[in-house]
Amino acid sequence: MIINHPLLGPRDAAEFVYKGDASMLNRPDWQSENAAIEFHDYMHLRDNIAGEMRELWFHEQGDRSWLVVTRNTITHEITKVELARDVARSKSKGAS
Amino acid sequence: MRYSALEILKQGLTGNKTWKPAWRDPEPKAEYDVIIIGGGGHGLATAYYLSKKHGVRNVAVLEKGWIGGGNVGRNTTIVRSNYMLPGNEHFYELSMKLWEGLEQDFNYNAMISQRGIINLFHNDNQRDVYARRGNAMIMAGADAELLDEEAIRKELPFLDYDNARFPVKGGLAQRRGGTVRHDAVAWGFARGADENGVDIIQNCEVTGFDIKDGICLGVETTRGRIGGKKVAVCVAGSSGHVMAMAGMRLPIESHVLQAFVSEGLKPVIPGVVTFGAGHFYVSQSDKGGLVFGGDIDGYNSYAQRGNLPVVEDVCEGGMAIMPMIGKARLLRSWGGIMDMSMDGSPYIDKTHIDGLYFNGGWCYGGFKATPASGYCYAHLLANNAPHPVAKEYRLDRFISGKMIDEKGMGAQPNLH
């Protein structure tokens, strides 16, 4: 698989470390009343999507940036690559 | 029909005219006591033990494609019970004992060969860890033997003993471990279950669950609705996809694991050998091919094929420990989809929906567990209570904190 890094161009997926579902960017509120259950679900439960999935990849053997890669888990086709920090920033802007 | 040498002789002399198909091809009934979703090794074993041990015979096994077409036919055929943690070791030792009597029990030749497994270690720390694991195995009633370098040299003279980086210091042997002809396991369980009256329904995909007021009443399938007092999901690899139809999210990710077989060679590797400094395991099939594998690819996948970096990594592991493997040509490689769980251990449990049961999360250790998985799942279905050796395989163990994490990796499925 080739990941088209937004800053570095096409890179071999072997340079990256895989974290998993990009919903992990959305940490639960630690002060919420149900924080224990919410963190359990956040840590341990997965949608485990068959099809197009947004996921976190870390460019460990490159510029050490976190990416959000949109990839199809049935065909391995990658359709979109974003910097995770851009995704996180646009999210927090949307929230405020 | 009972298979025996006498039967072969009789049939041979009379033109092989009265052999019967090993299982029927029935139409689904409107209602069953138990519906098992998934006609793989574990599902068929569950049906077999339900009908044989618990007398529950009004059972259907629903299979999307053909039976035994998933991971029971896509693994490296190794059986062993060399685990360390109490929640695991008793279960896998039960499985080992069931393997030992399986062929006589279900009257089918599964070519179970207890040729032994040796896990190599390469430094003093690893020796300590393996000694501890061996002691845990012995305490659980399994067999284990710590071998020093000299003993390994005698048994496995072809290893690279001049490797400065990964010197072979010894190994942990389990003599009762070995290999099994994997397809025959599915067929043997299918035949045995069918003889006891279980309906094995192929080409029947489950498309939804019939759940009302928190009670599961049956399933929707491509061949119509089928009612079931109990519905038992047993679809490792597709667990997330199937349980999503019941509105459940699972502590599971689906990953792809590749396996490889070389061209046929004369007998050269006596048992199963695993490399302790990388991830590589190999045995030689009865046809002569070297069957080997390594790590999962490491990213979520439902494609039954992997990528080249892992092929390279596995072959490097092989070359590091037994350079002779470089002379063999690779014949085939394939991928299977693993239910990777959050602690590397499986689930055999009820769900919060009455009448809906779940078996999955086998990571890449599902094949060796086949008989005990079926045995314990059948026990759970028949008694509504877990079998004592599988009582820790609960879906809620991440809330209760009772993880069974052999590798100590935490909730990162691609590291188990």
Side-chain angles (χ1 to χ4, degrees), chain B residues 40-56:
Chain B
H42 291 218
L44 294 165
T46 305
Y48 175 75
Y49 289 115
L50 257 182
S51 57
K52 177 167 174 142
K53 204 167 173 308
H54 302 282
V56 183

Side-chain angles (χ1 to χ4, degrees), chain A residues 1 12 14 18-20 37 40-41 43-50 53 55 57 71 73-76, chain B residues 240-241 249-255 298-303 305 307 309 342 398-399 411-414:
Chain A
M1 287 187 296
D12 192 321
Y18 182 81
K19 177 66 187 168
I37 291 291
H40 162 267
D41 295 357
M43 277 280 287
H44 296 106
L45 301 186
R46 300 283 189 273
D47 287 334
N48 200 16
I49 296 158
M53 175 170 172
E55 45 195 28
W57 291 73
R71 192 180 59 96
T73 56
I74 298 170
T75 61
H76 296 166
Chain B
H241 171 65
R249 296 171 79 218
L250 298 173
I252 287 174
E253 288 180 6
S254 293
H255 285 258
Y299 45 82
N300 282 38
S301 176
Y302 285 90
R305 58 185 167 77
N307 273 298
M342 294 297 142
F398 304 102
I399 295 178
Q412 187 61 38
N414 60 355

Side-chain angles (χ1 to χ4, degrees), chain B residues 49-314:
Chain B
Y49 289 115
L50 257 182
S51 57
K52 177 167 174 142
K53 204 167 173 308
H54 302 282
V56 183
R57 295 179 169 216
N58 188 19
V59 176
V61 177
L62 308 183
E63 168 55 47
K64 178 174 79 166
W66 58 90
I67 60 165
N71 290 335
V72 72
R74 304 180 85 83
N75 54 71
T76 46
T77 79
I78 297 164
V79 298
R80 57 184 173 86
S81 63
N82 52 1
Y83 284 72
M84 192 178 79
L85 298 178
N88 271 334
E89 180 55 17
H90 291 93
F91 173 84
Y92 284 103
E93 179 52 21
L94 169 67
S95 205
M96 199 63 237
K97 289 203 171 79
L98 290 170
W99 281 120
E100 286 175 319
L102 188 63
E103 291 170 311
Q104 287 69 33
D105 189 56
F106 68 16
N107 179 231
Y108 201 89
N109 181 10
M111 294 166 67
I112 292 164
S113 164
Q114 292 183 289
R115 53 187 71 184
I117 174 166
I118 295 178
N119 301 124
L120 300 170
F121 54 77
H122 307 272
N123 56 50
D124 291 345
N125 302 346
Q126 213 174 11
R127 184 203 316 267
D128 292 347
V129 171
Y130 279 22
R132 183 181 171 205
R133 197 205 297 186
N135 287 334
M137 290 161 63
I138 290 165
M139 283 168 71
D143 63 307
E145 193 183 329
L146 202 65
L147 303 173
D148 60 11
E149 188 191 331
E150 203 182 327
I152 296 284
R153 268 180 195 269
K154 253 183 227 152
E155 287 194 43
L156 308 170
F158 49 81
L159 298 180
D160 182 4
Y161 294 95
D162 301 324
N163 190 323
R165 198 163 166 216
F166 309 119
V168 177
K169 294 289 189 188
L172 179 66
Q174 186 181 24
R175 302 293 182 194
R176 288 158 63 240
T179 59
V180 179
R181 185 177 177 216
H182 52 194
D183 297 320
V185 176
W187 298 335
F189 277 127
R191 178 171 167 270
D194 179 87
E195 265 179 7
N196 294 338
V198 171
D199 283 356
I200 297 168
I201 300 160
Q202 304 183 72
N203 300 309
C204 180
E205 182 176 357
V206 171
T207 54
F209 292 95
D210 183 3
I211 297 169
K212 283 204 183 76
D213 305 324
I215 301 168
C216 187
L217 304 168
V219 293
E220 301 292 340
T221 76
T222 49
R223 293 171 71 170
R225 182 189 182 276
I226 303 174
K229 294 193 181 86
K230 291 177 179 175
V231 175
V233 177
C234 200
V235 294
S238 302
S239 295
H241 171 65
V242 170
M243 294 310 277
M245 293 191 282
M248 282 180 72
R249 296 171 79 218
L250 298 173
I252 287 174
E253 288 180 6
S254 293
H255 285 258
V256 61
L257 173 70
Q258 302 187 67
F260 310 87
V261 63
S262 78
E263 60 189 329
L265 304 168
K266 290 199 171 176
V268 59
I269 296 178
V272 183
V273 183
T274 75
F275 181 31
H279 202 161
F280 176 80
Y281 37 92
V282 62
S283 66
Q284 189 167 21
S285 77
D286 290 342
K287 280 196 287 186
L290 304 181
V291 184
F292 58 96
D295 263 326
I296 54 174
D297 270 42
Y299 45 82
N300 282 38
S301 176
Y302 285 90
Q304 286 179 319
R305 58 185 167 77
N307 273 298
L308 289 172
V310 171
V311 177
E312 187 178 17
D313 183 64
V314 171

Side-chain angles (χ1 to χ4, degrees), chain B residues 15 18 27 60 74 84 134 166 207 214 228 238 309 328 358-359 374 396 400-401 415:
Chain B
T18 55
E27 282 299 312
R74 304 180 85 83
M84 192 178 79
F166 309 119
T207 54
S238 302
F358 179 74
N359 175 325
D396 67 358
S400 61
L415 298 181

